[in-house]
Amino acid sequence: DDLPNDTPASARIEMARVHDGAFELKLSNLATNRSYVIERSYELRTGNWNVIHAFVARDTDASWLDPLAKDVEMAFYRIREGH
């Protein structure tokens, strides 16, 4: 399913920015030992979300970087719990 559901999430995005040619994401309030996935889409209207990173939270805070190709003008990201 491409649409978010109404399940409450405790994780929070503390900061998101483009810095030195990469998209940087700082997360907080993660549940330790729980799986998460970060997805990206280049077109929000059609969805087409692709998992680009999956991880198990070892701490309640995490940082992540996605180097951006020079031809990328817009990208959308979301994080959700994995299975």
Side-chain angles (χ1 to χ4, degrees):
D1 185 2
D2 243 7
L3 299 174
N5 61 35
D6 292 331
T7 304
S10 61
R12 297 281 177 246
I13 295 174
E14 290 294 321
M15 192 250 331
R17 69 178 181 164
V18 175
H19 182 70
D20 290 336
F23 177 74
E24 181 181 3
L25 193 61
K26 291 191 186 250
L27 307 167
S28 67
N29 208 33
L30 298 169
T32 56
N33 298 317
R34 185 155 298 165
S35 296
Y36 292 92
V37 294
I38 297 174
E39 298 172 309
R40 176 180 58 209
S41 175
Y42 294 114
E43 175 56 54
L44 190 58
R45 187 167 292 143
T46 60
N48 197 26
W49 293 97
N50 294 300
V51 174
I52 55 172
H53 184 64
F55 67 100
V56 174
R58 300 289 178 222
D59 199 350
T60 57
D61 298 327
S63 295
W64 176 80
L65 288 173
D66 184 25
L68 298 172
K70 292 192 184 304
D71 61 342
V72 172
E73 294 181 14
M74 188 177 304
F76 302 92
Y77 295 85
R78 68 183 183 186
I79 183 171
R80 62 180 173 84
E81 287 188 18
H83 299 288

